Amino acid sequence: MTDGITGGITDEGIRESEEIDRRVEELMAPEEDDGNGRKKKKRKKKREAGEKKTGLIKRIKGWSRRRKILTAAGVVVIALLAGSKLGGGGKSPGIMVDVMPLAKQAIQEKLSLSGPVSGTDSVDVVSNIHAEIVTMNVKEGDQVKKDQVLAVLDSTDLEREVQIAQNAYDLAVNNKQEKDKEAALGYEKAVQDFQKASLDHSRNSQLFASGDISQMEMEASANALNDARRAMEGYTVENGRGRADKSYDIQIENARFDLEKKKEELENTQIKSTIDGTVVRVNSKVGQFADKVEDDKPIFSIENLEQLELEIKVSEFSIGKVKVGQEAVISADILDGGTVNGEVIKISPTGEEKGGGSTERVIPTTIRVDGQDTKLIAGITAKAELLIREAEDAFVVPTTALLDEGDTTYILIVQDMKIKRIPVTLGVDGDVSVEVIPADDTVLEEGMQVVMNPGPHLMDGTDVIVRPQ
C-alpha cells in the first residue's frame, strides 16, 4: 500500500473516506416521524430502495475524498437552512459571516496622476521664409544661448528685395520733398495774389460808391477776390508754410513698412535661439527649404532642461483637493524604483475636455521637479502622487466592509452573534481602505468584529455565525 503526499492512499485515509460516505448517505436519507413529533432516519434498506437513489449513492462513493468533504459541507449548510425554514419550531443557527477586528491605524489619502515631463521653458524654432538652409550650426543635445545662430538660410533673393524696397522708400521721400517745395512756392504766390485782390476790391468799392465804375466792374472785382481766397485756402499749410498733401506722407509710410519687413526677413535668414537651453530635436537639414519641414514640424525644438516640470490633468471632481505649494512624490520607470520630490506651482484657471467622449472636464496642473541632478529627462511620462490628507490613530476598515444604502453608509458589527448596523461618515479615503467615524452616538472600540462583506439582507438583529479564521 502506498503512503506519502504524492497521491498514495493510507489505511487512515480509507477509513475517513468510508466514514464520509456513511455521513453523506445519512444526510441524504428522508426522515420519518417516531410518533412523538420527532424525526428519525429510515434504515439503510429503505433508503436504498429507489433505483435513482442507489445510483446516486454509488456515484458519491466513487468521488474523491476532497469532493466528498466539500459536498458534505454544502449539504450540511443546505440542511441547516432548510431546517430553519421547514423544521417547525427549530431556531435558525444564523447566517455565516466573515469578520475582522476593528483597529486603529494611520491612513493617507493620495491622488496619483501621470503626465509628460518637460523643461520649464521651451520653444519650437520655425521659419516662414521660403529659402534653402545653407548652414546648420547645431545638432541634437547641444547647449545653446539666447540669440545664438542655429542655422543660416540663402539670402540672395532677400538682399535684392531689400534693395528694391530701399529704392521705393527713397523715391517716396524725394517725391514728398519736391511737392513740399512746390507747395511752399505756390502758397506764397497765392497769398500775394489774395492780398493784391483784396486791395483792388477795396479801391473799386470806393470808386463804385462815387459812381466812377460800373456795377459790372464792381462784380468782377469781387469775383477776383473770391478766386484768390479759394486758391490760397486750397494749400496745406503748416507753421505758415505750404506743404505737400497727406497722400505723400502715406506713400512714405507704406514704403518704410515694406523696407522694414524685407530687412527683418533678411535678418531672419540667420535663425537664432530665443532662449537658453538644449537642442532636443532637429527636424531639417542643409538643402531643405526652411518653411517646408516634413509634417510641419519645427526646424529645432529647444528646452531648458536645467529645471524640469511635470504636467498632470486633474479631474474637476478632485481639483478642489489640490493646492499650489502642495508636495508631490514623482516616480517613473527611468528612476528604477526610486522617486524624486516635486511641488505644485501652477493650476490652470480654466478646464478643458478630457476627451474620449467623456463629459468630464480636467484642469492642467504643473508640478516643478525639485533638484537639477535627477535621472528624469524631458519627453517621458512620469507619475505624481499628491498627499491630499492623512489621519493618525483612526478607525480604518476596507472599503468592501462598507454598506452603502443611498443616503446612509454603514459598517456592520457582530455582537452576541447578532448584527448591529452602525451609520458612519467617511474620513480619509485610502483607496482600498477608509477612515470611518460614527454618525450617531455609537462609540467604536478596537477589537469589534466588523463584517467584511456585508449585504442588505443583514439587518439589525439578524442571527449570524462567525466563520472561524
Side-chain angles (χ1 to χ4, degrees):
M1 182 173 296
T2 306
D3 200 354
I5 60 173
T6 58
I9 304 175
T10 65
D11 292 338
E12 182 181 356
I14 293 174
R15 287 194 298 273
E16 289 181 3
S17 180
E18 291 175 348
E19 177 66 15
I20 291 170
D21 291 342
R22 184 185 65 77
R23 292 181 181 179
V24 170
E25 290 174 18
E26 290 177 356
L27 289 169
M28 295 182 61
E31 298 177 343
E32 60 181 2
D33 197 323
D34 63 357
N36 296 318
R38 294 189 298 271
K39 301 293 183 179
K40 67 178 182 178
K41 301 292 182 180
K42 291 184 178 180
R43 295 189 178 275
K44 182 175 180 181
K45 184 175 180 180
K46 193 171 184 178
R47 288 201 304 268
E48 296 180 355
E51 182 177 351
K52 284 186 178 181
K53 190 174 298 181
T54 302
L56 177 59
I57 291 173
K58 288 181 179 179
R59 288 198 299 276
I60 291 174
K61 289 183 177 181
W63 288 354
S64 68
R65 179 171 175 244
R66 175 182 174 85
R67 188 174 182 186
K68 289 175 180 177
I69 292 172
L70 294 176
T71 303
V75 171
V76 169
V77 172
I78 293 172
L80 289 173
L81 292 176
S84 67
K85 294 180 179 180
L86 304 174
K91 186 178 181 181
S92 169
I95 300 172
M96 188 78 71
V97 294
D98 294 306
V99 299
M100 62 170 288
L102 184 62
K104 287 185 175 182
Q105 65 185 67
I107 184 171
Q108 293 182 330
E109 182 176 346
K110 298 179 179 180
L111 179 65
S112 295
L113 293 168
S114 298
V117 178
S118 63
T120 53
D121 196 8
S122 63
V123 64
D124 288 335
V125 181
V126 299
S127 175
N128 60 358
I129 299 176
H130 188 67
E132 289 186 6
I133 299 173
V134 296
T135 304
M136 295 287 280
N137 295 333
V138 296
K139 61 184 181 299
E140 289 185 6
D142 285 353
Q143 299 285 329
V144 296
K145 296 293 185 180
K146 182 179 180 182
D147 294 328
Q148 180 176 333
V149 178
L150 309 176
V152 178
L153 310 183
D154 182 7
S155 60
T156 305
D157 291 341
L158 280 172
E159 289 173 354
R160 183 168 55 252
E161 292 177 9
V162 167
Q163 187 58 55
I164 293 172
Q166 182 69 59
N167 293 340
Y169 173 74
D170 292 342
L171 180 59
V173 171
N174 289 336
N175 284 341
K176 182 178 184 304
Q177 290 174 349
E178 290 298 323
K179 291 300 180 181
D180 280 342
K181 291 179 181 179
E182 292 178 7
L185 293 174
Y187 179 67
E188 185 177 350
K189 183 178 182 302
V191 170
Q192 293 173 355
D193 290 344
F194 174 73
Q195 291 173 347
K196 181 177 181 301
S198 295
L199 292 173
D200 290 346
H201 183 64
S202 178
R203 185 173 56 255
N204 288 335
S205 295
Q206 294 176 0
L207 293 174
F208 179 74
S210 61
D212 292 333
I213 60 174
S214 65
Q215 179 71 33
M216 184 177 296
E217 290 175 320
M218 183 60 191
E219 291 177 355
S221 174
N223 290 336
L225 177 60
N226 290 333
D227 290 342
R229 180 184 290 108
R230 281 194 296 271
M232 181 182 66
E233 292 175 351
Y235 284 91
T236 300
V237 180
E238 189 175 283
N239 296 326
R241 180 180 175 86
R243 63 183 302 276
D245 63 54
K246 298 291 185 181
S247 64
Y248 290 95
D249 291 326
I250 294 174
Q251 291 175 14
I252 291 176
E253 287 302 313
N254 289 341
R256 179 185 289 111
F257 175 79
D258 289 340
L259 176 60
E260 290 175 353
K261 182 179 178 182
K262 295 301 180 182
K263 285 183 176 181
E264 182 179 349
E265 289 179 353
L266 179 60
E267 184 179 351
N268 288 340
T269 57
Q270 293 193 348
I271 299 177
K272 301 177 181 179
S273 175
T274 57
I275 63 170
D276 294 345
T278 302
V279 179
V280 296
R281 291 289 182 273
V282 177
N283 299 312
S284 192
K285 60 185 178 180
V286 171
Q288 291 186 337
F289 284 94
D291 62 340
K292 297 295 183 181
V293 181
E294 185 178 357
D295 297 330
D296 294 327
K297 295 179 180 178
I299 302 173
F300 303 99
S301 291
I302 300 174
E303 291 192 36
N304 180 358
L305 302 181
E306 293 184 1
Q307 180 65 67
L308 296 177
E309 291 179 343
L310 172 65
E311 182 174 292
I312 58 175
K313 298 184 185 297
V314 183
S315 167
E316 60 182 314
F317 306 116
S318 301
I319 193 62
K321 303 176 182 178
V322 180
K323 308 294 180 185
V324 171
Q326 201 164 1
E327 295 182 356
V329 177
I330 300 169
S331 59
D333 291 339
I334 199 172
L335 297 178
D336 295 327
T339 61
V340 295
N341 295 326
E343 179 183 345
V344 177
I345 60 171
K346 183 171 64 176
I347 300 174
S348 175
T350 59
E352 59 185 38
E353 292 183 359
K354 182 178 182 179
S358 173
T359 58
E360 182 183 351
R361 309 288 289 184
V362 293
I363 294 83
T365 302
T366 303
I367 297 173
R368 183 183 60 212
V369 179
D370 291 345
Q372 299 179 359
D373 188 19
T374 71
K375 294 182 180 179
L376 286 178
I377 61 175
I380 67 170
T381 298
K383 182 175 74 173
E385 190 174 74
L386 303 177
L387 178 61
I388 303 303
R389 54 179 176 163
E390 59 185 339
E392 298 287 343
D393 202 30
F395 284 110
V396 175
V397 300
T399 54
T400 55
L402 300 176
L403 177 61
D404 186 356
E405 293 199 340
D407 295 337
T408 306
T409 301
Y410 299 92
I411 61 170
L412 277 58
I413 65 171
V414 176
Q415 287 185 343
D416 300 326
M417 306 307 290
K418 295 181 181 295
I419 289 294
K420 179 182 179 182
R421 290 188 172 196
I422 300 176
V424 294
T425 57
L426 305 183
V428 178
D429 187 352
D431 192 18
V432 296
S433 58
V434 63
E435 177 188 10
V436 290
I437 304 166
D440 57 10
D441 56 359
T442 301
V443 177
L444 297 181
E445 297 179 358
E446 290 190 90
M448 282 182 167
Q449 293 182 308
V450 179
V451 178
M452 296 178 64
N453 292 283
H457 62 289
L458 297 176
M459 306 300 294
D460 275 327
T462 299
D463 292 320
V464 292
I465 300 174
V466 174
R467 189 189 307 277
Q469 296 296 318

